[in-house]
Structure formats: C-alpha cells, structure tokens
Amino acid sequence: MGPVANPPDLPYPKTMPLHLITDERCVDYHMAGHPERPQRISRTLEKLRAQQDVQIQWAKPAEVTEAAILRAHAKEHLARVQAATSDFDGDTPAHAGIHGHALRSIGGGLRSLELARKGGVSFSLLRPPGHHATGSRAMGFCYLNQAAIVTLEALATGAKRVAVYDFDVHHGNGTEAILLGKPGAFFYSIHQHPCYPGTGTKDVGENCFNYPIAPRTPREEYRKVLTRALDALKAQKPEVIVVSAGFDAYARDPLAQETLEAEDFHWLGQSFRALGVPVVSVLEGGYSNDLPELIFAYLRGLEGK
Ligand SMILES: [Zn+2]
C-alpha cells in the first residue's frame, strides 16, 4: 500500500486556522475563594499566546439581540440578570456588570456558530459559563445559557436538527430544561452522578438523553460512555452540533471525582472534527490549575493535530 491520504470522510483540510473567540473583559469580575475565577481564562490565554503549535485567529463575540435571548429565557429572568442587585444563590453572586459578561459569553457562542457555518473551527473562551441557567433561574455559576441560545438561534436560522453534546462533569440541567420538547433540538449530557446539581439520572421527554456516571469511574469506562453518547448523537443526524465544553471530568479537578486526562479531551476534539458538520464549542466548567493544558489538548484535536 502507498501512503495513506486523509480519511475520505474528513470534512476539512488536514489543518486549518482555529478561531478563538474571547474578550479580555471577562476576567473583570471575581469573588474571593470562588472556583470560577478569572485565572481560568487569563492563564489559558497566556498558554495559547505562548505556543506555536496551533495557528490561532482571534475573534470577538458577536452582538446579541434580546430576541435571541428570549427564545431561551423568560423576560423576568433577563430583567433580574440586568439589574442583579442580590445574589442568585450562594454559588452565583450578583457581580457588578454580570449582565454584560453574560451577554459576551452568549456572543462568543453566536460568533462560534457563524464561523462554524463558514466551515471553520472555533472555540468560545469566555466566562461566565451557562449550562446550569434555566429559562427562569441563574444557578451554579451560570446566568444566561449560551448553549441553549445558540441551539435555538441555529434552529431559527435554517438548521432543522441541532444537537448539544455536554461533556462538562455536571449535568447541564439548564440546557435540558430549555430544550426539552423543542422541535429539532437534541440534548446529550455525560456527567458524574451523584454530583451537583443532582439531576440527569435518566432520559427526559423525547429529545433529552442523559448518561450519568458514578464517581471514580475508570477512565476507559468513562471513554466508552462518551463514545456511546456520541454514537447516539450521530444517529440523530444533526446539521449543527453545539458542544458544552467543560473540563471538570479531569482526574485532578477539585469539584468532581472523575478520571479523564488531557488525552481524552484531545480525542473529543478530534471526534467532533470528524463528524463533518459545523461544530460550535463554548467553555463551561473546568477548575483545576491544568485547565490551560486541557483546553489546548481539545483545541489541538479540533484543529486536526
Ligand atoms: Zn461543571
């Protein structure tokens, strides 16, 4: 046999620039001792700027319309986030300016959608995360739900079938609550159980599929469940995939008890790239000091390295 060419089903050239969507204002809020801290982004940016391995094109969040948010959230909830005078819960403080930060996180997801539809590879590196925010409630470090908003935007602008793949170690309860029963939307969450927020023990409705995993499940087993969920997602033949990319199933993450390594996040990136449809990635959780390496591994996979 001669040299082997790219696999025929690889949708993109072997390597192509990766669009990284960020806005440095996202490090401008914090609460002492809170794990969802600015260094998650600032240290990742340092790492990405210092490396030469992956070619990065930097992009800014898109503008966000109220109409796009209101597909996912109640008007009263949006007003509460805009005013943000008292904490939403013990985990989810009323930071000054949090509405603007949450808007930029949504804008990052929307820009990722736009770039993905042009055939690009992209990742939205912003905070706050979003997947715990329900239609009417901020919780678990999340205020507005970018994954759900991007999914509904994709469906409102031409896609017939859009699937969310949420590999954050916590159940994406907010995304599930918003997308439950929405025609054309599919939700797959792979997460530790028991763990915060305690939901996601079984499938819900016709379009939300949960893969709870016991704490300290061996890595090989965890990978098998990730694969099973990915195969189920593929079978739905989505035209767009929205990835809630949380890196807290990592073996040394302080907020959960799972077992994944950087190599597994690299494999996830490669797997999404190989699907041959636009893939949107938004950052959710991930709280270890190794987060920059984990994100970098994922990006290398997405980029085809
Ligand atoms: Zn998480």
Side-chain angles (χ1 to χ4, degrees):
M1 294 234 332
V4 179
N6 288 351
D9 60 344
L10 205 63
Y12 305 125
K14 195 153 189 236
T15 60
M16 67 183 303
L18 172 89
H19 296 275
L20 211 294
I21 304 138
T22 195
D23 185 311
E24 295 207 29
R25 282 174 285 181
C26 78
V27 303
D28 289 348
Y29 72 95
H30 79 286
M31 186 172 91
H34 199 295
E36 204 288 278
R37 59 201 199 282
Q39 291 78 6
R40 299 176 64 231
I41 306 291
S42 55
R43 290 187 54 246
T44 302
L45 286 173
E46 273 167 38
K47 159 107 193 155
L48 295 179
R49 287 186 178 127
Q51 59 81 37
Q52 314 266 305
D53 196 20
V54 174
Q55 197 193 335
I56 291 177
Q57 288 191 2
W58 300 91
K60 290 280 174 206
E63 292 295 319
V64 183
T65 63
E66 193 170 277
I69 299 171
L70 294 180
R71 285 192 201 106
H73 293 283
K75 223 177 169 108
E76 300 69 37
H77 175 63
L78 179 58
R80 269 198 299 277
V81 175
Q82 276 163 342
T85 45
S86 57
D87 292 350
F88 295 90
D89 63 24
D91 291 333
T92 319
H95 296 287
I98 194 63
H99 173 244
H101 295 299
L103 281 188
R104 282 186 288 275
S105 279
I106 297 166
L110 293 174
R111 183 73 76 204
S112 182
L113 174 64
E114 176 194 319
L115 293 164
R117 279 175 154 169
K118 288 181 181 158
V121 187
S122 61
F123 183 86
S124 177
L125 180 71
L126 286 158
R127 54 194 283 270
H131 73 150
H132 294 308
T134 72
S136 58
R137 186 176 169 205
M139 59 182 278
F141 320 162
C142 302
Y143 301 85
L144 299 171
N145 192 316
Q146 48 267 33
I149 291 169
V150 170
T151 300
L152 296 173
E153 174 76 14
L155 288 166
T157 52
K160 298 269 183 291
R161 303 169 74 79
V162 180
V164 176
Y165 187 94
D166 185 332
F167 67 78
D168 188 284
V169 81
H170 302 101
H171 178 233
N173 62 299
T175 313
E176 176 180 278
I178 293 167
L179 297 183
L180 181 64
K182 288 272 189 319
F186 301 90
F187 175 70
Y188 296 83
S189 180
I190 306 89
H191 48 267
Q192 178 178 313
H193 182 80
C195 196
Y196 182 88
T199 47
T201 54
K202 55 183 182 353
D203 296 346
V204 184
E206 304 286 311
N207 68 332
C208 294
F209 307 99
N210 287 307
Y211 297 78
I213 301 183
R216 296 178 195 84
T217 293
R219 188 180 155 205
E220 299 69 31
E221 288 302 310
Y222 206 108
R223 273 276 281 262
K224 279 184 197 160
V225 181
L226 290 168
T227 304
R228 196 145 44 81
L230 197 59
D231 288 343
L233 174 149
K234 278 192 247 182
Q236 294 289 357
K237 302 202 184 310
E239 295 157 54
V240 176
I241 294 164
V242 178
V243 181
S244 269
F247 297 85
D248 39 13
Y250 177 52
R252 285 163 291 287
D253 193 278
L255 295 200
Q257 293 78 43
E258 291 302 356
T259 53
L260 297 186
E261 297 290 346
E263 205 183 308
D264 300 306
F265 296 110
H266 179 252
W267 168 80
L268 278 166
Q270 281 184 320
S271 303
F272 297 133
R273 181 190 175 83
L275 294 180
V277 296
V279 178
V280 176
S281 291
V282 296
L283 179 65
E284 301 285 0
Y287 306 96
S288 82
N289 289 333
D290 297 333
L291 180 64
E293 282 69 35
L294 306 181
I295 292 177
F296 184 56
Y298 180 71
L299 296 179
R300 279 180 49 244
L302 264 190
E303 202 234 4
K305 284 199 168 156

